[in-house]
Amino acid sequence: MAPANRYDDLYGSNTGHQESLSLSGSSDQARYRLSFGLSESEGALKVAYDGIKQYSVRLNTDFDISEKLTLGANVSLQKNIVSSPSSSFGQALVSQDPPVFPVKNPDGQWYANFGNAGGTNSIAGISDGGRDNTEETLAKIALNLKYDIGYGFSANASATYNQVNSRQDITILNVLLYNWNGEVANNSINQNPSIESIGITKSYQTYGGFLNYEKSLSDHNFKAMVGITAEKNDFQSLSGKRFGIVDEGVYDLNVATGIQENEGGQTQEGLYSYLSRINYDYQEKYLVEFVGRRDGSSRFADGFKFNNYGSASVGWNVHKESFMENLDVLSNLKVRASIGSSGNQVGIGPYDYVSTIGTGTALFGEGGTLSATSYIDGLTTTTRSWEDVEMKNIGIDFALFNNKLSGSFDTYERKNNGMLVGETFPTVLGVPEVPETNIGNLVTKGWEAMLNWKDTKGDFSYNIGVNMSDSNNILVNLEGGSAIQSGLRTTVEGYPLNSYFVWETDGLFQTQAEVDAYNALYNKSGSEVPTGASALRIGDTRKVDLDGNGLINDQNAADPNGKGQGDVKFAGDAQAHYIFGINLGAKYKGFDFTAFFQGALEQKVSRAGVNNFPFNNPWPNQTIAYNGLTWTEQNTGATYPRLTAQRNLARWNWTDTDVFLQNNRYIRLKTLVIGYSLPSSILDKLKMDKIRFYFSGNDLFEFSSLVDGFDPESGTASVTDDRSIYPFQRTIAFGVNLAF
Amino acid sequence: MKKIIISLSAVLFLLVGCEDTFLDLQDLDSVTEQVYFDEPQNFEDASNYFYRGLHSPKATKGDGFAEITDYGTELNGYVQDYGQGINTATDEDIYWNNAYDYLREVNLLLDKADAYTANGGNAADISKYVATAYFFRAYHHFRLLKRFGGVPIVIEVTNVDSPILFAPRNSRYEVVAQILADLDLAIAGLPATANGADLGKISSIAATAYKARVLLFEGTWEKYVGTATDGDGTNSGAGSTKPSGYPAVDAMFNSVVQAAKAVMDSGQFEIWNKNADPNMENNSYKWLFSIEGADSNPGGYTKASNKEFIIQTIFDYESTNRIGSQFTQINFGRNAPTQVALDMYSTLDGLPINKSTQFQGYAKQSDQFINRDRRMWGNFGELILANGSRQISAIGSVGLSNLSNWKWTTWNNYRSVREEGYNYPHLRYAEVLLTYAEALYERDGSISDADLNLSINLIRARAGIAPLTNTLVTTNNLNMLDEIRRERTVELYMEDNNHWNDIHRWDTAKTLLNDDLIGYVIEGSEYETNTALFNPAIAIYGYKNDYPSGKGPVKALIIDPVSTRIYSQKNYLWPLPINETVINTNLKQNPGW
């Protein structure tokens, strides 16, 4: 054993580059722009390539076929080449690579953790465990035809077609590990090596046909539109897999000799909508708009496919009124209001209204032969339909001092009626995943404000903008309801979505007498107070019997708080609140500068995942964020409880307590760009239109109130199962723009 | 110009006409429920799917090692909170969830079978598969019964509006009656044998053997535990309501005897005893559990030689249907024997060690293995030194004992961990013989030498120990029932939770598990004198001074003290998952939880 920083061994910094070139031009009847792009970016892995290369060509054209008929045609082709390690990426590093085992033994061979038994070594697996390569071609065509019929009528039709073809090759190779003496260890990485090729074809097509009418009669302006839109998604895949690949430097299905597997698959889904819109204004002072639409989705059963939606909005341009004419300082003032409804089908699969038959194999017989198996896949409901979203909005826009100061304020209320929510049924139902049904009613209220200032003084111009928004929701009604328990609860009637319910605590035990007294009161049947080897000790968390039933638990059928929530209390939701952004920009002669900050003033985070607090699980690497902050005999006034490797006790001490809940208030510099353009005196000599050098940086720094030091924008996870996990990354770039 | 107008209108018109192109889309890559279950093959495939629900080393739906390690009994050096009695109720319980998931699949098949015959299908064409469904309906209700006691019986296809979702619990007696009824239907409809290509499937005789297991479990539970764990059904538990016609305990034992005898008389099964082959060195028991190809045991026997497994999961190395989990490794690392486990094994004269002159005592750890039942070596012999004692390591590590359980390990590392392809027994012939003897004794209060020779003496012969006879019992002042139970404990060690179930139905768990857990005899051994082998500082929980060893009361090392154990009859049943009792308030928690 020796100190070994497995994180530093694996991660470092990497570089990328990006080039683009575009040509544009026009004639009387046609305009075009042709652009080429090339970029490569690489993940911050030290030991293997993990990157993406992109090549793209795009041609945008516009033709005036006649005075009344125009055609827009855009085509593009893009190729993405992604190459990553195929194995050992992710959680293994955190949980299975102790920082006391070096990556290699003295002979330079991959070292097996724990000498012999450990079958993991992330760096070995990432380096030699095979590759996951994807080559993807994206082709897009968009056509748009406009025709001016006359008498105020016009029509347009559009069609787009996108196709993606990709091929992915995943090679999983066996990597031998060695003990310290250079002998092959018992376990190796990827004991069942394989190679798999997956071909996928996806297409997405949309069509639209619209008839427009526009008419102005002195002070009255009319606009009307009727139309139809339709879209369709198709997906097809074909894959083959063979086991038993030996690394001979050739990676194709043909070279593997073991068991063969193959798989097909195709899905399709579509949307179809009828639309109509009418606008009217009087002298551009009073504006009204009505929209009606009828949406159909293939994801619902017959009879439930369609739903009707509509909206109405009104506006008043106050500054256009005659009584405002003398108010020079005011350049814009507009009051708006709207009410409307729309549909949502997120969370519904393509054929969720029909049960399918799943198939597989099982082994029987003296010789061991595979027999077919089949099963009805899940429970379905045919009766659900669109979720209705009702939106009300009131807003104001204003500008002062010749548009130097401008801003807006909006407030809204959104009601999701028949929200698709997963209801919790008794598991006697026997279906692990019950489909979501239209059983919830959610009300969201929010506001958005924006204020911008811009000014120019000689060669110097600058702008400052701030915006902030917030919204709060409450699940007014949920059929079937759901019980409150400790932790993050997605849907609880009467509370916001994703509400936290935490244990109220009353400090830490400071004396054995306090522990004994607590045990005497609460250590009994039905209570969650840990016992035996995990029994409470000095320095552990004291949870409060909030409902006074003599038990410490998070349920109590007779609870006066209602919902049987026992000793947990509501502590806010997981959504970020008071989200703000700050834009800064300035120009001086050839120099330009922009910066964008982003942040939030309030967000509750109860860290999840194996690295959330010390010794949630004793075996993985541990977070060091709480070092020095926990109770010890020398630090009895600590906020956080005593460290213990008894995981039941560690979980009692930390999980979902009010003390462990953090408020995430942060500000981060998201982007910073500083550029310099050469003056025209030099450009003229070089016969160039523009030469600009720039520096840009993303996520350069932040201030955060999080105690545990995780990325404030990464949500609640401490570790993800995602194969491509990276620690938080900062990016800087240098570039040059050229124009001829 | 007009052409253009026409074409534009045509586009609009075309779109109007083709709503169905975008909305009426069929599933392209799966067969849907509407068109399935219209031929017998569909029923066969669907019944094949049930077999993954058998609790095998290949973990399915998270169902895995907790059960395999027996939750920590007095035989097991791996201390677990269940065995200590300190576990608390949890929000969810996969053994609850999974059982009901499986039951829904089974009920679906039975439902579709009704539709099949109603539509003119020939019932005889699908009767095998229907009977298989009945077997699995019994199997999953029995697993629920063992863990929770009475539970809601589900014999219909549930849906979100089924009243059964919010039903109260059925009593354990109602559940047992349902299990027996389903098993009788299974026995009637299943084929008599399942050999050749059907090996691994349930036959009629296998269902009969399973019925014997259920009846013995419940008969002894009722006899020894009685209604102590039932609760009143209104405030706690599932109550003690018995359905009409429910069998009396003696009638249950009688049925066990009949069922076991039917299996014995079928002639389909035999104890895999290859001890006549000198290459086997009397270790047939040891190599029974890892039979694969001819290289998998010293006698060169293949799977075809095994007529002992009655219900089994088939694994196969070649088809990559291997065990795939760390079953062997976990068993090896965790199920280290306590001193109690080591002292269970008889000497070759067939006597318990405290009655036998063959027992060599504790001076060296290896002495304990001399003249003992071959199963002792088979289960724990891997690490034993040729002549000496292994060092005692610190208490608190995962394996509290310095020996390991190598019951499932392959011969000469024939397979590495996760690669094993031996068949796994859920119920084997030895258990039927043990069940026969126990039920006979429970029914009659005695058992004849003839019946002993028909049953457990076949197993003892394989273990290399003298037969159990009434003379041996009376001459040596033994208790026949204790010896039958000892035989069962030793033979079925770490198989399908056998010992955990036994000590509950015998009502001995409340005593055995509420006691110091004993690691090693210290007094009179090398450990007492050689601090290199045993550093007394390790003894953080002290010693039991009167441990009843094979050489009388001696000082023995405690590896988990009684002070941390609170095992009582409450722990005989698991707590219902809290979430379920919250959602369905008609479900009353088991007494004491």
Side-chain angles (χ1 to χ4, degrees):
Chain A
M1 287 203 228
N5 192 327
R6 304 293 283 260
Y7 285 91
D8 283 355
D9 289 341
L10 179 58
Y11 296 116
S13 60
N14 262 318
T15 55
H17 59 94
Q18 187 177 338
E19 291 84 30
S20 63
L21 172 68
S22 59
L23 306 166
S24 58
S26 63
S27 69
D28 287 349
Q29 275 93 35
R31 293 154 292 281
Y32 75 94
R33 180 184 172 84
L34 177 63
S35 52
F36 302 92
L38 161 63
S39 72
E40 179 171 12
S41 64
E42 219 180 305
L45 264 192
K46 265 186 196 168
V47 298
Y49 178 81
D50 179 28
I52 175 166
K53 285 182 205 152
Q54 291 182 316
Y55 308 90
S56 62
V57 189
R58 180 170 290 122
L59 176 64
N60 295 356
T61 57
D62 261 317
F63 302 98
D64 299 333
I65 295 170
S66 73
E67 264 179 33
K68 298 195 165 193
L69 186 67
T70 59
L71 171 70
N74 300 333
V75 291
S76 69
L77 191 68
Q78 185 178 332
K79 188 157 193 134
N80 297 335
I81 300 173
V82 185
S83 179
S84 306
S86 64
S87 62
S88 301
F89 216 175
Q91 196 159 358
L93 179 68
V94 175
S95 58
Q96 320 248 338
D97 284 347
V100 293
F101 300 126
V103 177
K104 291 186 174 177
N105 68 11
D107 301 338
Q109 296 157 321
W110 298 121
Y111 180 59
N113 292 334
F114 302 98
N116 216 11
T120 62
N121 178 334
S122 301
I123 292 173
I126 289 169
S127 305
D128 291 349
R131 305 290 304 170
D132 179 351
N133 296 330
T134 304
E135 215 173 298
E136 189 176 50
T137 313
L138 298 84
K140 290 185 190 176
I141 299 174
L143 300 173
N144 194 350
L145 207 55
K146 274 189 204 155
Y147 182 65
D148 183 359
I149 300 167
Y151 311 106
F153 285 95
S154 67
N156 62 311
S158 66
T160 65
Y161 184 82
N162 296 356
Q163 177 148 336
V164 180
N165 289 311
S166 69
R167 173 171 162 136
Q168 185 177 16
D169 291 283
I170 306 167
T171 318
I172 310 263
L173 298 174
N174 185 238
V175 183
L176 292 180
L177 299 175
Y178 297 84
N179 67 15
W180 202 249
N181 303 324
E183 293 149 358
V184 176
N186 286 351
N187 287 327
S188 58
I189 300 174
N190 302 332
Q191 294 186 12
N192 202 2
S194 63
I195 180 164
E196 181 174 17
S197 293
I198 306 165
I200 290 176
T201 306
K202 287 185 276 194
S203 73
Y204 172 61
Q205 42 192 315
T206 66
Y207 302 94
F210 308 94
L211 188 60
N212 307 300
Y213 177 68
E214 198 170 344
K215 189 80 185 168
S216 295
L217 285 170
S218 64
D219 290 337
H220 304 276
N221 301 310
F222 292 98
K223 259 195 228 172
M225 181 276 285
V226 290
I228 289 170
T229 61
E231 61 181 76
K232 189 161 177 246
N233 265 306
D234 287 279
F235 172 92
Q236 290 170 320
S237 73
L238 181 65
S239 67
K241 186 172 186 178
R242 288 191 189 182
F243 291 91
I245 183 164
V246 179
D247 189 0
E248 305 281 10
V250 179
Y251 307 110
D252 189 90
L253 278 181
N254 292 353
V255 302
T257 52
I259 301 278
Q260 306 184 6
E261 292 175 357
N262 52 60
E263 210 172 313
Q266 39 186 320
T267 58
Q268 49 176 359
E269 58 182 300
L271 281 173
Y272 193 87
S273 303
Y274 299 94
L275 312 170
S276 65
R277 188 176 64 221
I278 297 171
N279 298 75
Y280 166 76
D281 70 74
Y282 177 71
Q283 289 183 338
E284 294 181 353
K285 281 183 198 164
Y286 313 106
L287 310 99
V288 291
E289 181 185 82
F290 298 97
V291 174
R293 56 185 299 152
R294 179 168 169 74
D295 290 320
S297 166
S298 69
R299 297 190 197 185
F300 301 111
D302 278 345
F304 298 89
K305 286 188 193 295
F306 275 101
N307 215 349
N308 298 327
Y309 299 100
S311 68
S313 49
V314 294
W316 180 24
N317 278 318
V318 183
H319 69 281
K320 294 205 171 175
E321 292 289 351
S322 48
F323 58 80
M324 300 295 280
E325 263 171 22
N326 298 326
L327 214 62
D328 284 345
V329 72
L330 190 73
S331 7
N332 181 25
L333 180 64
K334 181 177 180 183
V335 184
R336 297 173 274 109
S338 71
I339 181 166
S341 66
S342 59
N344 178 28
Q345 57 162 359
V346 172
I348 307 268
Y351 323 105
D352 278 3
Y353 55 89
V354 58
S355 274
T356 56
I357 302 294
T359 56
T361 55
L363 195 72
F364 296 105
E366 267 167 19
T369 44
L370 288 168
S371 303
T373 64
S374 68
Y375 53 95
I376 292 180
D377 204 359
L379 174 77
T380 53
T381 165
T382 54
T383 60
R384 63 182 169 186
S385 187
W386 292 85
E387 167 182 336
D388 290 343
V389 184
E390 205 180 296
M391 182 88 173
K392 288 179 211 162
N393 170 51
I394 295 176
I396 182 167
D397 302 323
F398 65 89
L400 297 168
F401 316 122
N402 202 14
N403 286 325
K404 275 184 188 169
L405 179 69
S406 64
S408 67
F409 182 81
D410 277 90
T411 172
Y412 61 87
E413 181 185 270
R414 191 173 61 228
K415 284 186 183 167
N416 297 52
N417 298 325
M419 186 169 70
L420 289 163
V421 179
E423 189 179 348
T424 314
F425 290 99
T427 47
V428 168
L429 178 58
V431 181
E433 299 205 7
V434 183
E436 296 185 337
T437 43
N438 304 88
I439 53 166
N441 286 321
L442 183 78
V443 175
T444 309
K445 289 177 183 172
W447 54 266
E448 290 169 17
M450 208 191 301
L451 204 57
N452 293 303
W453 173 263
K454 61 179 181 191
D455 202 3
T456 306
K457 290 221 161 77
D459 282 345
F460 182 67
S461 67
Y462 67 101
N463 65 289
I464 300 170
V466 291
N467 62 69
M468 182 178 274
S469 66
D470 188 31
S471 73
N472 284 292
N473 63 59
I474 181 166
L475 189 58
V476 183
N477 171 328
L478 179 66
E479 261 176 60
S482 61
I484 292 176
Q485 283 167 348
S486 64
L488 184 65
R489 298 284 142 187
T490 327
T491 50
V492 178
E493 189 177 274
Y495 289 94
L497 297 179
N498 302 312
S499 284
Y500 279 115
F501 292 90
V502 298
W503 301 95
E504 182 161 305
T505 62
D506 178 21
L508 308 170
F509 295 110
Q510 299 293 354
T511 65
Q512 188 57 41
E514 287 177 16
V515 175
D516 294 343
Y518 189 83
N519 274 328
L521 272 176
Y522 302 122
N523 189 354
K524 56 183 151 185
S525 174
S527 216
E528 294 184 18
V529 177
T531 53
S534 314
L536 295 174
R537 285 162 226 182
I538 300 169
D540 289 331
T541 298
R542 183 191 348 235
K543 292 182 182 169
V544 176
D545 181 18
L546 207 56
D547 62 354
N549 68 344
L551 300 171
I552 303 294
N553 60 16
D554 58 352
Q555 70 270 316
N556 176 3
D559 186 356
N561 300 342
K563 301 201 178 289
Q565 69 195 65
D567 302 322
V568 293
K569 60 180 182 184
F570 174 66
D573 61 6
Q575 189 192 335
H577 290 285
Y578 307 107
I579 303 162
F580 63 87
I582 302 172
N583 283 296
L584 302 174
K587 269 188 186 154
Y588 179 68
K589 296 193 171 161
F591 292 96
D592 61 271
F593 161 87
T594 57
F596 173 55
F597 293 88
Q598 180 175 297
L601 295 184
E602 185 187 304
Q603 183 183 21
K604 294 289 190 280
V605 174
S606 187
R607 188 68 60 200
V610 295
N611 255 0
N612 54 348
F613 56 76
F615 302 112
N616 181 349
N617 276 323
W619 51 85
N621 292 329
Q622 302 294 329
T623 172
I624 54 168
Y626 295 96
N627 289 7
L629 301 176
T630 58
W631 189 96
T632 61
E633 282 174 18
Q634 290 74 38
N635 185 16
T636 55
T639 311
Y640 294 101
R642 183 178 68 93
L643 294 178
T644 170
Q646 280 282 1
R647 77 178 139 139
N648 287 341
L649 195 46
R651 289 172 184 182
W652 160 275
N653 275 338
W654 296 81
T655 306
D656 300 324
T657 65
D658 50 4
V659 172
F660 183 54
L661 191 72
Q662 308 177 63
N663 186 19
N664 175 20
R665 178 183 301 147
Y666 79 97
I667 181 168
R668 166 174 281 167
L669 177 56
K670 289 297 286 181
T671 56
L672 174 73
V673 182
I674 299 168
Y676 176 68
S677 304
L678 293 178
S680 47
S681 54
I682 299 174
L683 293 176
D684 290 346
K685 285 180 197 157
L686 297 170
K687 297 199 162 62
M688 299 279 282
D689 287 340
K690 183 180 184 184
I691 300 178
R692 175 173 174 263
F693 300 97
Y694 67 89
F695 159 83
S696 78
N698 290 333
D699 302 326
L700 291 181
F701 70 86
E702 66 276 314
F703 298 105
S704 151
S705 66
L706 287 177
V707 182
D708 58 13
F710 283 101
D711 174 19
E713 293 183 335
S714 70
T716 61
S718 59
V719 171
T720 65
D721 286 325
D722 187 352
R723 194 168 55 79
S724 55
I725 63 159
Y726 277 107
F728 180 68
Q729 299 180 55
R730 307 188 193 278
T731 318
I732 55 173
F734 296 92
V736 56
N737 303 124
L738 305 172
F740 305 91
Chain B
M1 199 63 63
K2 271 185 185 159
K3 275 183 199 163
I4 290 161
I5 297 173
I6 291 164
S7 63
L8 272 171
S9 330
V11 168
L12 266 176
F13 188 74
L14 265 171
L15 275 173
V16 174
C18 61
E19 201 179 283
D20 283 352
T21 314
F22 294 93
L23 295 185
D24 191 13
L25 303 179
Q26 300 305 313
D27 195 338
L28 298 174
D29 60 5
S30 338
V31 177
T32 56
E33 185 186 341
Q34 284 99 324
V35 299
Y36 202 70
F37 287 115
D38 58 354
E39 50 188 309
Q41 184 65 46
N42 298 158
F43 287 89
E44 179 172 359
D45 293 354
S47 70
N48 287 345
Y49 193 58
F50 300 155
Y51 286 87
R52 84 199 193 293
L54 289 171
H55 185 238
S56 86
K58 184 164 196 158
T60 309
K61 290 163 85 87
D63 185 337
F65 298 123
E67 285 219 334
I68 288 162
T69 54
D70 245 1
Y71 309 112
T73 67
E74 83 284 5
L75 304 181
N76 197 328
Y78 179 53
V79 178
Q80 295 191 62
D81 51 1
Y82 315 105
Q84 294 174 302
I86 61 167
N87 59 314
T88 50
T90 52
D91 288 347
E92 290 186 38
D93 187 312
I94 57 161
Y95 298 103
W96 175 282
N97 295 0
N98 289 351
Y100 284 107
D101 289 358
Y102 292 133
L103 282 172
R104 190 165 195 280
E105 291 162 4
V106 165
N107 287 321
L108 263 169
L109 186 145
L110 293 172
D111 201 49
K112 297 290 179 188
D114 286 345
Y116 179 80
T117 45
N119 290 330
N122 184 355
D125 293 343
I126 58 168
S127 59
K128 274 195 281 189
Y129 318 121
V130 169
T132 305
Y134 284 122
F135 173 81
F136 278 96
R137 196 156 83 180
Y139 179 84
H140 293 300
H141 276 119
F142 186 51
R143 284 195 73 188
L144 285 167
L145 177 87
K146 284 185 286 184
R147 193 173 175 92
F148 301 107
V151 293
I153 296 171
V154 180
I155 51 170
E156 66 188 56
V157 179
T158 48
N159 213 318
V160 290
D161 51 1
S162 303
I164 184 75
L165 300 193
F166 295 94
R169 300 168 66 176
N170 290 100
S171 75
R172 66 180 301 125
Y173 313 98
E174 290 166 335
V175 176
V176 169
Q178 181 64 46
I179 293 169
L180 295 176
D182 281 340
L183 283 176
D184 284 342
L185 288 168
I187 291 165
L190 284 165
T193 59
N195 294 320
D198 285 335
L199 195 74
K201 294 193 178 177
I202 304 290
S203 65
S204 179
I205 205 74
T208 308
Y210 196 77
K211 185 181 170 188
R213 177 191 280 189
V214 172
L215 280 163
L216 179 69
F217 177 87
E218 191 57 21
T220 44
W221 186 289
E222 192 171 342
K223 181 170 177 176
Y224 294 107
V225 181
T227 56
T229 57
D230 288 354
D232 60 8
T234 24
N235 299 306
S236 69
S240 305
T241 309
K242 279 190 181 172
S244 63
Y246 191 77
V249 168
D250 278 348
M252 284 198 223
F253 292 137
N254 198 41
S255 302
V256 180
V257 172
Q258 285 174 357
K261 195 69 172 38
V263 179
M264 291 153 70
D265 290 345
S266 75
Q268 289 189 34
F269 305 104
E270 64 188 27
I271 294 296
W272 191 77
N273 185 350
K274 305 295 179 193
N275 287 352
D277 179 345
N279 289 330
M280 292 296 281
E281 298 178 315
N282 283 333
N283 288 326
S284 298
Y285 177 83
K286 170 62 193 147
W287 305 121
L288 166 66
F289 301 102
S290 53
I291 305 173
E292 293 191 46
D295 299 338
S296 66
N297 56 71
Y301 299 100
T302 63
K303 284 183 177 180
S305 68
N306 180 4
K307 300 274 182 264
E308 179 163 344
F309 293 180
I310 299 175
I311 300 177
Q312 59 186 326
T313 295
I314 309 291
F315 291 102
D316 182 54
Y317 179 84
E318 295 305 328
S319 70
T320 68
N321 242 282
R322 305 167 193 169
I323 284 178
S325 71
Q326 290 169 299
F327 175 70
T328 337
Q329 189 173 327
I330 301 262
N331 258 293
F332 184 77
R334 296 194 181 167
N335 291 331
T338 58
Q339 188 66 57
V340 178
L342 296 173
D343 288 350
M344 289 280 305
Y345 294 82
S346 305
T347 39
L348 299 176
D349 52 15
L351 289 170
I353 51 173
N354 60 348
K355 303 273 184 182
S356 172
T357 53
Q358 293 186 342
F359 179 54
Q360 298 298 303
Y362 300 92
K364 289 177 187 147
Q365 195 178 35
S366 52
D367 293 346
Q368 297 182 42
F369 283 76
I370 299 170
N371 293 337
R372 299 292 287 276
D373 188 325
R374 288 309 300 160
R375 291 173 291 193
M376 182 176 175
W377 178 83
N379 289 340
F380 308 122
E382 163 87 3
L383 298 175
I384 197 74
L385 301 178
N387 184 17
S389 310
R390 286 176 60 83
Q391 186 194 0
I392 297 177
S393 48
I395 293 172
S397 56
V398 168
L400 283 175
S401 164
N402 58 16
L403 299 177
S404 281
N405 168 35
W406 69 321
K407 180 161 185 166
W408 305 98
T409 312
T410 56
W411 185 55
N412 280 347
N413 290 323
Y414 179 69
R415 298 282 187 231
S416 55
V417 174
R418 296 195 187 92
E419 305 276 287
E420 300 94 340
Y422 50 71
N423 296 345
Y424 177 81
H426 300 283
L427 199 167
R428 56 189 175 91
Y429 190 49
E431 182 189 330
V432 175
L433 301 181
L434 288 159
T435 297
Y436 177 74
E438 184 180 340
L440 209 55
Y441 190 87
E442 291 287 0
R443 188 188 68 181
D444 303 340
S446 64
I447 182 169
S448 69
D449 285 353
D451 277 322
L452 287 168
N453 288 337
L454 267 183
S455 57
I456 58 181
N457 284 338
L458 297 172
I459 307 168
R460 285 167 76 101
R462 176 168 63 185
I465 58 173
L468 182 62
T469 60
N470 282 285
T471 316
L472 188 81
V473 168
T474 40
T475 317
N476 294 285
N477 200 20
L478 305 177
N479 176 320
M480 179 62 84
L481 183 60
D482 285 352
E483 293 312 307
I484 293 171
R485 288 179 174 184
R486 175 199 307 278
E487 193 58 40
R488 185 178 177 94
T489 306
V490 164
E491 175 70 20
L492 301 178
Y493 180 73
M494 283 304 156
E495 285 180 58
D496 202 25
N497 249 2
N498 174 69
H499 188 57
W500 178 266
N501 294 329
D502 283 351
I503 59 178
H504 289 93
R505 65 190 178 88
W506 297 334
D507 195 25
T508 52
K510 65 185 180 196
T511 325
L512 291 170
L513 301 189
N514 199 20
D515 198 354
D516 293 317
L517 197 66
I518 301 302
Y520 310 84
V521 165
I522 300 295
E523 192 178 331
S525 78
E526 288 188 278
Y527 293 130
E528 200 172 21
T529 50
N530 187 344
T531 51
L533 293 176
F534 172 57
N535 176 356
I538 285 171
I540 50 174
Y541 300 124
Y543 305 90
K544 192 179 183 84
N545 287 320
D546 54 353
Y547 170 71
S549 77
K551 293 290 183 189
V554 293
K555 189 172 98 169
L557 178 68
I558 295 172
I559 55 177
D560 192 43
V562 66
S563 58
T564 63
R565 303 175 74 95
I566 48 169
Y567 205 88
S568 68
Q569 274 190 326
K570 158 198 157 179
N571 301 88
Y572 283 24
L573 297 179
W574 245 259
L576 262 50
I578 291 168
N579 284 355
E580 300 306 311
T581 59
V582 171
I583 300 169
N584 174 9
T585 50
N586 289 324
L587 285 183
K588 300 301 174 194
Q589 186 54 277
N590 276 326
W593 288 98

